Amino acid sequence: MGILEKIAEIEREISRTQKNKATEYHLGLLKAKLAKYRAQLLEPSKSAGAKGEGFDVMKSGDARVALIGFPSVGKSTFLSLMTSTESEAASYEFTTLTCIPGVIEYKGANIQLLDLPGIIEGAAQGKGRGRQVIAVARTADVVIMMLDATKGDVQRALLEKELESVGIRLNRSKPNIYFKPKKGGGLSYNSTVPLTQCSEKLVQLILHEYKIFNAEVLFREDSTPDEFIDVIVGNRVYMPCLYVYNKVDQISMEEVDRLARRPHSVVISCGMKLNLDYLLETLWEYLALICIYTKKRGERPDFGDAIIMRRGASVEHVCHRIHRTLASQFKYALVWGTSTKYSPQRVGLTHIMEHEDVIQIVKK
Protein backbone atom coordinates (compact mmCIF):
# COMPACT_ATOMS: atom_id res chain seq x y z
CA MET A 1 0.00 0.00 0.00
CA GLY A 2 1.64 3.23 -1.16
CA ILE A 3 1.62 6.53 0.72
CA LEU A 4 -1.08 7.98 -1.56
CA GLU A 5 -3.43 5.05 -0.83
CA LYS A 6 -2.78 5.38 2.91
CA ILE A 7 -3.57 9.11 2.77
CA ALA A 8 -6.79 8.44 0.81
CA GLU A 9 -7.79 5.71 3.29
CA ILE A 10 -7.27 8.02 6.32
CA GLU A 11 -9.19 10.86 4.63
CA ARG A 12 -12.10 8.50 3.99
CA GLU A 13 -11.99 7.33 7.61
CA ILE A 14 -12.03 10.96 8.87
CA SER A 15 -15.03 11.84 6.67
CA ARG A 16 -16.88 8.69 7.90
CA THR A 17 -16.29 9.38 11.60
CA GLN A 18 -18.82 11.49 13.47
CA LYS A 19 -17.38 14.40 15.43
CA ASN A 20 -18.32 14.07 19.08
CA LYS A 21 -16.74 13.70 22.52
CA ALA A 22 -16.26 9.94 22.16
CA THR A 23 -14.38 10.07 18.85
CA GLU A 24 -12.08 13.09 19.45
CA TYR A 25 -9.06 10.92 20.40
CA HIS A 26 -9.56 8.69 17.37
CA LEU A 27 -9.82 11.75 15.07
CA GLY A 28 -6.75 13.36 16.67
CA LEU A 29 -4.75 10.19 16.03
CA LEU A 30 -5.94 10.01 12.40
CA LYS A 31 -4.99 13.66 11.82
CA ALA A 32 -1.50 13.03 13.25
CA LYS A 33 -1.03 10.03 10.93
CA LEU A 34 -2.29 12.06 7.97
CA ALA A 35 0.19 14.90 8.67
CA LYS A 36 3.00 12.33 8.96
CA TYR A 37 2.25 10.68 5.62
CA ARG A 38 1.89 14.04 3.88
CA ALA A 39 5.31 15.08 5.20
CA GLN A 40 6.78 11.86 3.73
CA LEU A 41 5.10 12.62 0.41
CA LEU A 42 6.75 16.04 0.21
CA GLU A 43 10.26 14.72 0.85
CA PRO A 44 12.24 14.43 -2.41
CA SER A 45 12.81 10.87 -3.53
CA LYS A 46 16.17 9.35 -2.60
CA SER A 47 16.93 8.17 -6.14
CA ALA A 48 17.29 11.43 -8.02
CA GLY A 49 16.19 10.98 -11.60
CA ALA A 50 17.57 12.76 -14.65
CA LYS A 51 18.06 16.47 -14.09
CA GLY A 52 15.13 18.39 -15.55
CA GLU A 53 15.16 22.09 -16.34
CA GLY A 54 15.32 24.36 -13.28
CA PHE A 55 12.00 25.49 -11.92
CA ASP A 56 12.65 27.85 -9.03
CA VAL A 57 13.90 31.35 -9.80
CA MET A 58 16.59 33.18 -7.86
CA LYS A 59 15.15 35.54 -5.25
CA SER A 60 15.66 39.19 -6.16
CA GLY A 61 14.20 42.57 -5.27
CA ASP A 62 12.75 43.64 -1.93
CA ALA A 63 9.91 41.13 -1.73
CA ARG A 64 8.56 38.10 -3.53
CA VAL A 65 4.95 37.48 -4.57
CA ALA A 66 3.69 34.19 -6.03
CA LEU A 67 0.72 33.97 -8.39
CA ILE A 68 -1.23 30.78 -7.80
CA GLY A 69 -4.40 29.68 -9.53
CA PHE A 70 -6.08 27.18 -11.79
CA PRO A 71 -5.16 27.15 -15.49
CA SER A 72 -6.67 29.97 -17.61
CA VAL A 73 -7.68 32.40 -14.84
CA GLY A 74 -5.50 35.24 -16.18
CA LYS A 75 -2.21 34.89 -14.28
CA SER A 76 0.01 35.47 -17.33
CA THR A 77 -2.12 38.42 -18.52
CA PHE A 78 -1.82 39.93 -15.04
CA LEU A 79 1.99 39.50 -15.07
CA SER A 80 2.25 41.14 -18.52
CA LEU A 81 0.09 44.09 -17.36
CA MET A 82 1.93 44.68 -14.08
CA THR A 83 5.52 44.18 -15.23
CA SER A 84 7.56 44.69 -18.36
CA THR A 85 7.88 40.90 -18.74
CA GLU A 86 5.82 39.23 -21.43
CA SER A 87 4.34 35.92 -20.30
CA GLU A 88 2.66 33.94 -23.06
CA ALA A 89 -1.13 34.10 -22.64
CA ALA A 90 -3.65 32.16 -24.71
CA SER A 91 -7.20 30.90 -24.34
CA TYR A 92 -6.17 27.29 -23.68
CA GLU A 93 -5.09 25.74 -20.38
CA PHE A 94 -1.44 25.25 -19.35
CA THR A 95 -0.03 27.98 -21.58
CA THR A 96 2.62 28.61 -18.91
CA LEU A 97 4.74 25.54 -18.17
CA THR A 98 7.57 26.91 -16.02
CA CYS A 99 8.00 29.68 -13.46
CA ILE A 100 8.21 33.11 -15.16
CA PRO A 101 9.50 36.02 -13.05
CA GLY A 102 8.67 39.71 -13.49
CA VAL A 103 9.37 42.84 -11.44
CA ILE A 104 6.78 45.39 -10.27
CA GLU A 105 8.29 48.80 -9.54
CA TYR A 106 6.12 50.51 -6.94
CA LYS A 107 6.95 53.32 -4.46
CA GLY A 108 10.66 52.81 -5.12
CA ALA A 109 10.55 49.08 -4.28
CA ASN A 110 11.23 46.22 -6.66
CA ILE A 111 8.69 43.47 -6.02
CA GLN A 112 9.39 40.15 -7.72
CA LEU A 113 6.22 38.62 -9.17
CA LEU A 114 6.31 34.93 -10.10
CA ASP A 115 3.87 33.58 -12.68
CA LEU A 116 3.50 29.89 -11.79
CA PRO A 117 1.87 27.19 -13.94
CA GLY A 118 -1.80 26.46 -13.21
CA ILE A 119 -2.54 24.15 -10.30
CA ILE A 120 -5.02 21.32 -10.79
CA GLU A 121 -6.82 19.24 -8.20
CA GLY A 122 -4.42 16.73 -6.68
CA ALA A 123 -1.40 19.04 -7.11
CA ALA A 124 -0.15 18.22 -3.61
CA GLN A 125 0.29 14.60 -4.73
CA GLY A 126 2.46 15.80 -7.62
CA LYS A 127 -0.10 16.04 -10.44
CA GLY A 128 0.70 18.52 -13.20
CA ARG A 129 3.99 19.76 -11.69
CA GLY A 130 1.95 20.74 -8.65
CA ARG A 131 4.66 19.88 -6.16
CA GLN A 132 7.25 22.25 -7.70
CA VAL A 133 4.64 25.02 -7.99
CA ILE A 134 3.76 24.72 -4.31
CA ALA A 135 7.44 24.51 -3.29
CA VAL A 136 8.09 27.85 -5.03
CA ALA A 137 4.99 29.34 -3.37
CA ARG A 138 6.42 28.45 0.06
CA THR A 139 9.38 30.78 -0.54
CA ALA A 140 7.17 33.81 -1.31
CA ASP A 141 6.30 36.63 1.11
CA VAL A 142 2.71 36.91 -0.10
CA VAL A 143 0.56 34.60 -2.21
CA ILE A 144 -1.85 36.11 -4.73
CA MET A 145 -4.54 33.55 -5.43
CA MET A 146 -6.02 34.30 -8.85
CA LEU A 147 -9.62 33.13 -9.08
CA ASP A 148 -12.12 33.20 -11.91
CA ALA A 149 -15.09 35.31 -10.71
CA THR A 150 -17.42 33.43 -13.08
CA LYS A 151 -16.69 30.06 -11.42
CA GLY A 152 -18.00 30.92 -7.92
CA ASP A 153 -16.23 29.70 -4.77
CA VAL A 154 -15.30 26.22 -6.00
CA GLN A 155 -11.76 27.19 -7.07
CA ARG A 156 -10.96 28.98 -3.81
CA ALA A 157 -11.95 25.99 -1.64
CA LEU A 158 -9.96 23.53 -3.80
CA LEU A 159 -6.81 25.69 -3.83
CA GLU A 160 -6.96 26.28 -0.08
CA LYS A 161 -7.25 22.52 0.45
CA GLU A 162 -4.20 21.84 -1.77
CA LEU A 163 -2.08 24.45 0.03
CA GLU A 164 -3.24 23.29 3.48
CA SER A 165 -2.17 19.73 2.72
CA VAL A 166 1.43 20.82 2.00
CA GLY A 167 1.77 22.95 5.12
CA ILE A 168 0.99 26.45 3.81
CA ARG A 169 -1.34 28.26 6.21
CA LEU A 170 -3.01 31.29 4.65
CA ASN A 171 -3.87 34.45 6.64
CA ARG A 172 -3.29 32.69 9.94
CA SER A 173 -0.77 33.36 12.67
CA LYS A 174 1.44 30.73 14.28
CA PRO A 175 -0.31 28.91 17.16
CA ASN A 176 0.81 30.23 20.55
CA ILE A 177 1.97 26.85 21.88
CA TYR A 178 5.35 26.25 23.55
CA PHE A 179 6.67 22.79 22.67
CA LYS A 180 10.10 21.38 23.51
CA PRO A 181 11.16 17.71 23.30
CA LYS A 182 13.32 16.55 26.25
CA LYS A 183 15.70 13.67 27.00
CA GLY A 184 13.63 12.28 29.90
CA GLY A 185 11.07 13.08 32.57
CA GLY A 186 7.88 12.20 30.68
CA LEU A 187 5.27 14.68 29.48
CA SER A 188 4.91 18.03 31.23
CA TYR A 189 1.54 19.49 30.16
CA ASN A 190 0.18 22.93 31.10
CA SER A 191 -2.16 25.60 29.76
CA THR A 192 -2.70 29.25 30.66
CA VAL A 193 -6.28 29.27 29.24
CA PRO A 194 -9.18 26.81 29.50
CA LEU A 195 -8.92 24.31 26.61
CA THR A 196 -12.08 23.16 24.84
CA GLN A 197 -10.57 21.21 21.91
CA CYS A 198 -7.43 19.54 23.31
CA SER A 199 -6.89 17.45 26.43
CA GLU A 200 -3.79 15.94 28.04
CA LYS A 201 -4.72 12.46 26.82
CA LEU A 202 -5.15 13.65 23.23
CA VAL A 203 -1.82 15.56 23.33
CA GLN A 204 -0.13 12.40 24.65
CA LEU A 205 -1.67 10.24 21.90
CA ILE A 206 -0.57 12.64 19.16
CA LEU A 207 2.98 12.82 20.57
CA HIS A 208 3.16 9.00 20.78
CA GLU A 209 2.27 8.84 17.09
CA TYR A 210 5.44 10.90 16.44
CA LYS A 211 7.40 8.67 18.88
CA ILE A 212 7.87 11.56 21.34
CA PHE A 213 7.49 10.44 24.96
CA ASN A 214 9.31 13.20 26.87
CA ALA A 215 8.34 16.79 26.16
CA GLU A 216 7.24 20.08 27.61
CA VAL A 217 3.93 21.44 26.26
CA LEU A 218 2.36 24.76 27.23
CA PHE A 219 -0.84 26.02 25.55
CA ARG A 220 -1.16 29.82 25.65
CA GLU A 221 -4.36 29.82 23.58
CA ASP A 222 -7.30 27.50 22.94
CA SER A 223 -5.90 25.56 19.96
CA THR A 224 -7.24 22.72 17.85
CA PRO A 225 -5.46 19.33 17.50
CA ASP A 226 -4.52 20.36 13.93
CA GLU A 227 -2.68 23.44 15.21
CA PHE A 228 -0.86 21.35 17.81
CA ILE A 229 0.25 18.92 15.06
CA ASP A 230 1.54 21.94 13.06
CA VAL A 231 3.69 22.95 16.04
CA ILE A 232 5.16 19.42 16.40
CA VAL A 233 5.96 19.09 12.69
CA GLY A 234 7.44 22.59 12.69
CA ASN A 235 7.81 23.07 8.90
CA ARG A 236 4.58 25.00 8.39
CA VAL A 237 4.66 28.33 6.56
CA TYR A 238 2.27 31.06 7.70
CA MET A 239 1.79 33.66 5.00
CA PRO A 240 -0.63 36.39 3.99
CA CYS A 241 -2.78 35.66 0.97
CA LEU A 242 -4.73 37.99 -1.28
CA TYR A 243 -7.71 36.50 -3.12
CA VAL A 244 -7.94 38.25 -6.48
CA TYR A 245 -11.12 37.68 -8.48
CA ASN A 246 -10.42 38.24 -12.17
CA LYS A 247 -12.92 38.61 -15.07
CA VAL A 248 -15.42 40.65 -13.01
CA ASP A 249 -16.62 42.28 -16.25
CA GLN A 250 -18.47 39.03 -17.00
CA ILE A 251 -20.63 38.90 -13.83
CA SER A 252 -23.43 41.01 -12.31
CA MET A 253 -22.83 44.09 -10.15
CA GLU A 254 -24.40 42.38 -7.11
CA GLU A 255 -21.96 39.48 -7.41
CA VAL A 256 -19.00 41.89 -7.79
CA ASP A 257 -20.15 43.72 -4.65
CA ARG A 258 -20.46 40.44 -2.71
CA LEU A 259 -16.96 39.27 -3.73
CA ALA A 260 -15.33 42.67 -3.04
CA ARG A 261 -16.72 42.74 0.53
CA ARG A 262 -15.18 39.40 1.50
CA PRO A 263 -12.09 39.57 3.75
CA HIS A 264 -8.68 39.59 1.99
CA SER A 265 -10.37 39.90 -1.42
CA VAL A 266 -9.89 42.27 -4.38
CA VAL A 267 -11.88 42.24 -7.63
CA ILE A 268 -10.13 43.11 -10.91
CA SER A 269 -10.46 42.68 -14.65
CA CYS A 270 -7.23 42.16 -16.61
CA GLY A 271 -9.08 42.35 -19.92
CA MET A 272 -10.52 45.81 -19.19
CA LYS A 273 -7.70 46.89 -16.81
CA LEU A 274 -10.09 47.60 -13.94
CA ASN A 275 -9.03 48.17 -10.29
CA LEU A 276 -5.34 47.23 -10.81
CA ASP A 277 -4.08 50.32 -8.92
CA TYR A 278 -6.14 49.39 -5.83
CA LEU A 279 -4.70 45.85 -6.00
CA LEU A 280 -1.16 47.29 -5.93
CA GLU A 281 -1.99 49.43 -2.88
CA THR A 282 -3.44 46.42 -1.05
CA LEU A 283 -0.43 44.28 -2.00
CA TRP A 284 1.91 46.94 -0.55
CA GLU A 285 -0.04 46.78 2.74
CA TYR A 286 0.18 42.96 2.84
CA LEU A 287 3.94 42.99 2.13
CA ALA A 288 4.44 45.37 5.12
CA LEU A 289 7.23 47.32 3.40
CA ILE A 290 8.39 50.82 4.38
CA CYS A 291 10.59 53.39 2.59
CA ILE A 292 13.35 55.12 4.55
CA TYR A 293 15.33 58.06 3.12
CA THR A 294 18.89 58.97 4.10
CA LYS A 295 20.39 62.40 4.61
CA LYS A 296 23.97 63.69 4.80
CA ARG A 297 24.90 66.43 7.25
CA GLY A 298 24.17 69.91 5.85
CA GLU A 299 22.46 68.54 2.73
CA ARG A 300 18.88 67.91 1.68
CA PRO A 301 17.48 64.35 2.05
CA ASP A 302 17.91 62.00 -0.91
CA PHE A 303 14.28 61.30 -1.89
CA GLY A 304 15.33 59.67 -5.17
CA ASP A 305 16.82 56.56 -3.62
CA ALA A 306 14.85 54.96 -0.76
CA ILE A 307 15.97 52.10 1.46
CA ILE A 308 13.19 49.50 1.48
CA MET A 309 12.78 47.72 4.84
CA ARG A 310 10.16 45.56 6.54
CA ARG A 311 7.69 47.15 8.97
CA GLY A 312 9.14 47.05 12.49
CA ALA A 313 12.76 47.61 11.33
CA SER A 314 15.03 49.44 13.79
CA VAL A 315 17.86 51.93 13.22
CA GLU A 316 20.27 48.99 13.58
CA HIS A 317 18.64 47.19 10.62
CA VAL A 318 19.01 50.37 8.54
CA CYS A 319 22.74 50.57 9.48
CA HIS A 320 23.27 46.96 8.37
CA ARG A 321 21.49 47.64 5.10
CA ILE A 322 23.76 50.64 4.34
CA HIS A 323 27.02 48.91 5.35
CA ARG A 324 27.82 46.01 7.64
CA THR A 325 30.46 47.94 9.65
CA LEU A 326 28.25 51.00 10.23
CA ALA A 327 26.50 49.65 13.34
CA SER A 328 29.82 49.18 15.17
CA GLN A 329 30.86 52.80 14.45
CA PHE A 330 27.40 54.19 15.28
CA LYS A 331 27.19 57.10 17.77
CA TYR A 332 23.62 58.34 17.32
CA ALA A 333 21.10 59.09 14.58
CA LEU A 334 18.82 62.02 13.84
CA VAL A 335 15.37 61.02 12.59
CA TRP A 336 12.64 63.15 11.00
CA GLY A 337 9.17 61.67 10.47
CA THR A 338 6.18 60.00 12.10
CA SER A 339 8.20 57.67 14.36
CA THR A 340 9.54 60.59 16.44
CA LYS A 341 7.96 62.86 19.05
CA TYR A 342 9.63 65.92 17.51
CA SER A 343 11.80 66.45 14.42
CA PRO A 344 14.69 65.91 14.36
CA GLN A 345 14.91 63.52 17.30
CA ARG A 346 18.20 62.03 18.47
CA VAL A 347 17.78 58.23 18.71
CA GLY A 348 19.77 55.07 19.39
CA LEU A 349 20.06 51.73 17.59
CA THR A 350 16.80 50.30 19.00
CA HIS A 351 14.50 53.06 17.67
CA ILE A 352 11.77 51.61 15.39
CA MET A 353 11.48 53.35 12.01
CA GLU A 354 8.24 54.12 10.17
CA HIS A 355 7.25 54.64 6.52
CA GLU A 356 8.93 57.65 4.82
CA ASP A 357 11.17 58.57 7.78
CA VAL A 358 14.39 60.46 7.06
CA ILE A 359 17.54 59.38 8.91
CA GLN A 360 20.98 60.97 9.38
CA ILE A 361 23.57 58.71 11.01
CA VAL A 362 26.43 60.20 13.06
CA LYS A 363 29.52 57.98 13.52
CA LYS A 364 31.95 57.93 16.45
Side-chain angles (χ1 to χ4, degrees):
M1 199 179 191
I3 294 178
L4 285 175
E5 288 88 46
K6 285 179 182 172
I7 288 175
E9 180 61 43
I10 292 173
E11 280 175 342
R12 280 198 297 274
E13 175 74 23
I14 288 176
S15 61
R16 277 201 303 266
T17 310
Q18 285 184 331
K19 288 181 177 64
N20 57 36
K21 198 77 184 149
T23 59
E24 65 178 0
Y25 300 125
H26 179 56
L27 278 171
L29 209 55
L30 287 176
K31 284 172 179 171
K33 278 184 176 158
L34 190 60
K36 210 162 102 180
Y37 286 135
R38 279 181 175 156
Q40 284 176 14
L41 194 63
L42 286 178
E43 283 169 14
S45 57
K46 295 284 182 286
S47 55
K51 284 266 191 289
E53 64 176 290
F55 194 84
D56 196 1
V57 178
M58 192 176 145
K59 211 166 183 173
S60 70
D62 301 299
R64 185 177 220 187
V65 176
L67 274 176
I68 279 189
F70 278 90
S72 276
V73 290
K75 296 187 297 296
S76 299
T77 316
F78 177 73
L79 181 85
S80 305
L81 277 176
M82 288 297 195
T83 68
S84 54
T85 312
E86 283 298 318
S87 182
E88 192 187 339
S91 56
Y92 55 87
E93 298 192 340
F94 291 109
T95 322
T96 309
L97 293 173
T98 62
C99 176
I100 296 171
V103 175
I104 304 174
E105 289 175 5
Y106 186 67
K107 291 189 181 176
N110 290 334
I111 302 165
Q112 187 182 37
L113 187 65
L114 300 181
D115 178 18
L116 297 169
I119 282 187
I120 52 174
E121 201 178 341
Q125 277 84 49
K127 279 188 194 169
R129 278 205 122 169
R131 223 181 280 180
Q132 290 109 308
V133 172
I134 290 169
V136 174
R138 282 175 75 102
T139 65
D141 299 307
V142 168
V143 167
I144 289 185
M145 199 181 277
M146 287 291 269
L147 303 161
D148 191 333
T150 57
K151 300 267 174 74
D153 293 335
V154 188
Q155 291 191 345
R156 178 168 168 171
L158 281 171
L159 280 173
E160 279 176 344
K161 184 174 165 246
E162 291 297 330
L163 295 178
E164 280 276 317
S165 65
V166 293
I168 295 178
R169 304 284 178 260
L170 302 175
N171 295 325
R172 296 214 314 246
S173 57
K174 204 171 176 187
N176 197 351
I177 302 171
Y178 172 76
F179 168 72
K180 187 183 177 191
K182 296 187 296 190
K183 289 279 188 291
L187 177 67
S188 153
Y189 169 88
N190 270 311
S191 66
T192 56
V193 289
L195 297 182
T196 56
Q197 294 152 305
C198 277
S199 65
E200 185 166 1
K201 187 182 168 190
L202 180 56
V203 165
Q204 206 166 5
L205 276 171
I206 291 171
L207 287 171
H208 282 194
E209 183 58 41
Y210 283 93
K211 301 200 169 36
I212 299 170
F213 302 99
N214 307 300
E216 224 173 296
V217 178
L218 171 64
F219 283 81
R220 295 197 185 98
E221 63 182 13
D222 187 13
S223 300
T224 61
D226 288 329
E227 289 174 329
F228 179 57
I229 291 167
D230 285 352
V231 171
I232 300 170
V233 178
N235 63 352
R236 304 299 189 228
V237 181
Y238 298 87
M239 57 169 63
C241 172
L242 203 52
Y243 301 102
V244 176
Y245 291 91
N246 188 18
K247 307 183 185 176
V248 291
D249 49 304
Q250 298 172 19
I251 56 173
S252 66
M253 273 310 290
E254 292 78 28
E255 184 67 6
V256 172
D257 190 54
R258 187 184 73 81
L259 291 175
R261 287 180 191 280
R262 298 183 69 173
H264 313 293
S265 300
V266 178
V267 291
I268 64 162
S269 166
C270 288
M272 296 177 73
K273 301 184 182 173
L274 299 175
N275 213 21
L276 295 174
D277 47 353
Y278 175 68
L279 172 57
L280 268 182
E281 274 176 46
T282 316
L283 182 60
W284 178 266
E285 279 301 308
Y286 273 66
L287 285 168
L289 296 176
I290 56 172
C291 299
I292 291 161
Y293 302 104
T294 53
K295 174 188 179 307
K296 289 181 182 171
R297 187 183 291 178
E299 292 182 24
R300 293 186 69 76
D302 179 10
F303 288 121
D305 189 17
I307 298 173
I308 307 293
M309 305 291 292
R310 287 294 153 103
R311 200 177 295 151
S314 65
V315 174
E316 190 172 4
H317 292 124
V318 178
C319 290
H320 284 303
R321 177 61 74 87
I322 296 168
H323 197 273
R324 63 177 186 275
T325 59
L326 191 56
S328 56
Q329 301 168 353
F330 178 89
K331 189 176 180 187
Y332 65 89
L334 295 171
V335 175
W336 291 256
T338 53
S339 68
T340 58
K341 293 191 180 89
Y342 45 86
S343 294
Q345 185 177 330
R346 185 171 162 162
V347 298
L349 281 173
T350 53
H351 176 77
I352 303 296
M353 305 293 287
E354 285 182 15
H355 185 48
E356 294 188 336
D357 276 359
V358 174
I359 185 169
Q360 176 188 321
I361 295 169
V362 179
K363 296 200 286 190
K364 285 174 187 165

